[in-house]
Amino acid sequence: MSRLVLVLGDQLSPDLTALQKADRETDTVVMAEVMAEASYVAHHPKKIAFLFAAMRKFADALRKDGWTVAYTPLDDPDNAGSIDGELMRRLDETGADEVLYTQPGEWRLIRVLEDFASAAPVKVRRFEDRRFICTHAEFEQWAEGRKALRMEYFYREMRRKTGLLMEGDKPAGGAWNFDKENRKPPPHGVDTAPMQFTPDETVDKVLDLVDAKFAQNFGALRPFWFATARGQARRALAHFITHALPRFGDFQDAMLRDEKFLYHAVISVYLNAGLLDPLEVCRAAEDAWKAGDVPINAAEGFIRQILGWREYVRGIYFLEGEDYPRRNALNHQRKLPDFYWSAETDMACVAHAVSQTRDEAYAHHIQRLMITGNFALLAGVNPHAVHEWYLEVYADAYEWVEAPNTVGMSQFADGGLLGSKPYVSSGSYIDRMSDYCKDCRYKVKDKTGPDACPFNLLYWQFLDRHRERFEGNHRMGNMYRTWDRMDADHRKTVLAEAEDLLDRLSKGDRI
Ligand code: FAD
Ligand code: DLZ
Ligand code: SF4
């Protein structure tokens, strides 16, 4: 008996379930660069290049390990153009009598492979993706019967399950969460950067291919410095643990114009493709804390992002089903402003986040949440358009992780399933946490008038237009009381100027 074993571009892990179930003596691994995957959204060229290069190197590593790999490059004249097409072609070619695959991370591709299984002349077996700490069954069990699915409680379960940062049944350091210590304003200068890798021959070839085929996509392909193999990704992780993790907690929410990465790990691109394993990353951070190299607020804050948030959003994506990315609880219908592509706006914070995204296919969490996400929510942009933007522009974007973060956390389009209140802020939050405002054409201190910061105007207009929904929210009551205490004429001016700003946005005027 011989089988085909599918390995997708974001399944580059030797312990992938389908590989574990296969036999390297008799079975053939199928990997394919296909247009269907490379164009279901217009991915950032750096993301495509990263994946193709990592796929090619993973295929080579499998071959060295004794596997037979049928690998199809994008420009192979026989390329069938899609994952199911490639599987059919390889079935014909090899005469294999079974296909094994691991569940993809997106409903779209799950359905494609289900249809393939119905049409295929041979048995097709699917396995759960075990490269996560929480299984689907465990998440469903945790969610069952709960009124609110709060990440914090899920995270504690995961701490107990893994024993990470636990002292017996108590959290290490005496608290589950040290976030209060993690809200420091930006530092003056940053003394580290993520590890960068010079393109080798494999990467160079892929860069030329991506240049030729995807030049029209948003984003700069070069310079390209991502790790593209597990060994490199491990080195990047070790570099982060030594040089940046100690200060990760303190400056987790800070933003600096000239420091794109601050003390962030820049490993989501590797984790999500399978080059790093989430538990190994958490254990490495825990070990650094145990060795006394990293304070507890940093180790805990970092581990919470992976053990907590990453696992939790995946659980939500699969629990909620395929309509999740289409939700629009606030009925927001505005078109995504053009400056999300061009960076041509006078708002220094937005211009900066967008141009950094174009150059690096990366922005850190607070830039995504409190700059581009915040503006889209305040302005009432259609959440599906926002979702598509995030899926296109970041190298770490796959729907299972991107959609809950965008549709749920950032746009409140799931009606508060994921977050108990919308992440909106006026300019003063951005000013406190960044150095963007000092060079902005708008004045963050101005609440009204020609120089008023758009976040100031839109923040109050957002609260006002969604009063019915949010007034009773215990975390937002204070803001409504502040708004109501303002002078009536001032409120009228704010609303009128906000409407004017939104009108100009609709007309495509520069704002
Ligand atoms: P660090 O800040 O160093 O954090 C360490 C790791 O924790 C990350 O590598 C990531 O694996 C994990 N993590 C942190 N926050 C989250 C989170 N909220 N959800 C899931 N994992 C998290 N992350 C993605 O991996 N892919 C996406 O497509 C994505 N889209 C996002 C869209 C929006 C609107 C927002 C607000 C957040 C999104 N995130 C996404 C989460 C987060 O912004 C990124 O994981 C993080 O910025 C990656 O950079 P880093 O590796 O330097 O992370
Ligand atoms: C994102 C992506 C891209 C750009 N290209 C490919 C590809 O050519 N071949 C492949 O197997 N996978 C690719 N991927 C990743 C898939 O889109 C991903 O597996 C699904 O979105 C599920 O997460
Ligand atoms: Fe952004 Fe307003 Fe600050 Fe300008 S003033 S950078 S628009 S927050």
Side-chain angles (χ1 to χ4, degrees):
M1 176 163 189
S2 81
R3 297 173 294 191
L4 298 184
V5 188
L6 176 66
V7 175
L8 293 166
D10 56 352
Q11 297 184 335
L12 308 180
S13 320
D15 57 355
L16 189 75
T17 337
L19 281 171
Q20 300 278 308
K21 301 280 178 189
D23 182 346
R24 73 191 73 190
E25 302 299 324
T26 51
D27 299 339
T28 301
V29 174
V30 174
M31 297 181 69
E33 299 167 8
V34 291
M35 262 305 175
E37 294 310 307
S39 63
Y40 66 84
V41 291
H43 307 278
H44 194 297
K46 274 195 169 77
K47 175 182 178 185
I48 303 176
F50 160 74
L51 267 191
F52 286 4
M55 285 170 70
R56 290 179 185 201
K57 290 184 182 184
F58 187 73
D60 285 346
L62 287 177
R63 284 190 190 106
K64 276 203 192 102
D65 232 14
W67 291 92
T68 302
V69 183
Y71 191 98
T72 313
L74 191 75
D75 51 4
D76 184 330
D78 294 329
N79 192 318
S82 63
I83 296 294
D84 48 332
E86 276 294 292
L87 283 172
M88 280 299 188
R89 185 167 80 89
R90 296 298 188 184
L91 271 179
D92 281 351
E93 198 178 271
T94 59
D97 24 32
E98 199 169 86
V99 175
L100 311 182
Y101 73 96
T102 306
Q103 188 191 47
E106 195 182 321
W107 287 111
R108 176 190 58 83
L109 198 51
I110 289 175
R111 298 301 178 223
V112 166
L113 287 172
E114 283 172 356
D115 290 349
F116 165 75
S118 311
V122 299
K123 190 167 171 201
V124 178
R125 289 166 66 199
R126 175 170 96 183
F127 301 99
E128 186 168 353
D129 191 344
R130 294 272 177 188
R131 299 170 305 154
F132 292 85
I133 297 160
C134 184
T135 64
H136 292 325
E138 280 172 326
F139 194 84
E140 282 161 19
Q141 214 176 346
W142 174 78
E144 178 83 41
R146 278 173 194 265
K147 263 210 228 125
L149 302 181
R150 293 290 164 249
M151 196 289 291
E152 190 61 34
Y153 297 109
F154 168 78
Y155 165 58
R156 291 179 194 181
E157 287 296 308
M158 291 297 105
R159 292 270 293 274
R160 290 192 188 96
K161 173 180 165 163
T162 56
L164 278 162
L165 299 181
M166 294 298 289
E167 285 162 353
D169 59 355
K170 300 262 179 317
W176 292 104
N177 180 320
F178 294 86
D179 244 4
K180 272 198 269 10
E181 296 168 38
N182 292 356
R183 299 275 181 268
K184 295 198 175 62
H188 297 290
V190 174
D191 46 7
T192 182
M195 186 172 264
Q196 309 202 346
F197 298 87
T198 308
D200 55 21
E201 204 183 321
T202 305
V203 176
D204 270 336
K205 267 200 182 143
V206 165
L207 291 177
D208 289 343
L209 174 73
V210 173
D211 219 0
K213 304 273 185 196
F214 303 98
Q216 72 289 359
N217 290 18
F218 167 86
L221 176 61
R222 295 184 173 86
F224 181 92
W225 53 262
F226 287 139
T228 45
R230 174 166 162 76
Q232 291 180 331
R234 294 266 313 155
R235 283 167 56 205
L237 171 67
H239 178 87
F240 160 74
I241 301 260
T242 307
H243 298 285
L245 180 60
R247 309 191 84 191
F248 173 89
D250 293 350
F251 301 115
Q252 203 178 324
D253 286 1
M255 297 172 279
L256 277 179
R257 227 178 21 177
D258 296 328
E259 296 292 345
K260 301 170 189 170
F261 310 105
L262 277 142
Y263 293 99
H264 292 275
V266 197
I267 55 164
S268 48
V269 60
Y270 311 141
L271 272 168
N272 296 350
L275 300 187
L276 292 175
D277 171 74
L279 203 52
E280 88 175 314
V281 174
C282 293
R283 295 250 182 259
E286 184 188 47
D287 288 349
W289 167 70
K290 281 187 179 158
D293 298 334
V294 164
I296 185 77
N297 71 311
E300 188 283 314
F302 179 70
I303 288 173
R304 176 154 28 95
Q305 305 311 313
I306 296 171
L307 182 65
W309 280 111
R310 186 169 185 271
E311 296 288 326
Y312 168 80
V313 298
R314 177 172 184 264
I316 294 280
Y317 178 75
F318 283 104
L319 188 72
E320 287 299 300
E322 31 199 325
D323 78 306
Y324 188 85
R326 288 269 168 204
R327 296 200 190 162
N328 190 356
L330 301 180
N331 191 24
H332 281 172
Q333 299 299 350
R334 181 177 301 282
K335 167 180 169 287
L336 189 76
D338 288 345
F339 56 69
Y340 276 76
W341 304 108
S342 67
E344 284 176 13
T345 165
D346 291 335
M347 294 181 285
C349 52
V350 176
H352 187 79
V354 172
S355 45
Q356 174 185 323
T357 299
R358 182 190 58 217
D359 294 346
E360 302 291 352
Y362 176 86
H364 62 72
H365 187 67
I366 294 300
Q367 293 175 304
R368 299 188 204 195
L369 187 64
M370 297 312 293
I371 305 293
T372 41
N374 187 10
F375 185 85
L377 178 56
L378 290 176
V381 177
N382 179 280
H384 194 72
V386 183
H387 154 69
E388 288 192 321
W389 186 79
Y390 279 97
L391 199 54
E392 289 193 16
V393 304
Y394 291 112
D396 59 15
Y398 300 89
E399 200 177 86
W400 65 266
V401 53
E402 176 279 328
N405 270 297
T406 305
V407 173
M409 187 188 304
S410 160
Q411 299 301 300
F412 205 82
D414 65 4
L417 179 81
L418 200 137
S420 54
K421 78 177 203 17
Y423 280 97
V424 282
S425 83
S426 66
S428 63
Y429 170 86
I430 297 170
D431 190 32
R432 190 165 66 251
M433 298 313 294
S434 80
D435 65 353
Y436 296 142
C437 299
K438 62 179 197 257
D439 292 324
C440 186
R441 109 125 189 73
Y442 295 107
K443 294 200 174 93
V444 70
K445 302 273 182 257
D446 285 10
K447 312 292 180 213
T448 57
D451 296 331
C453 163
F455 284 85
N456 291 344
L457 293 170
L458 295 179
Y459 176 72
W460 294 114
Q461 198 260 5
F462 173 89
L463 289 187
D464 188 73
R465 77 174 189 267
H466 290 299
R467 182 183 273 273
E468 211 174 305
R469 180 180 280 269
F470 294 125
E471 193 175 21
N473 182 319
H474 71 282
R475 297 184 64 195
M476 297 180 76
N478 271 347
M479 297 324 296
Y480 279 98
R481 281 190 286 281
T482 305
W483 174 235
D484 291 341
R485 273 197 304 271
M486 287 181 201
D487 174 77
D489 283 344
H490 175 72
R491 276 185 282 148
K492 242 194 218 163
T493 310
V494 169
L495 293 180
E497 289 188 10
E499 286 302 341
D500 178 59
L501 185 91
L502 291 174
D503 278 352
R504 284 186 282 126
L505 194 62
S506 301
K507 281 194 233 136
D509 291 356
R510 185 177 174 108
I511 64 157

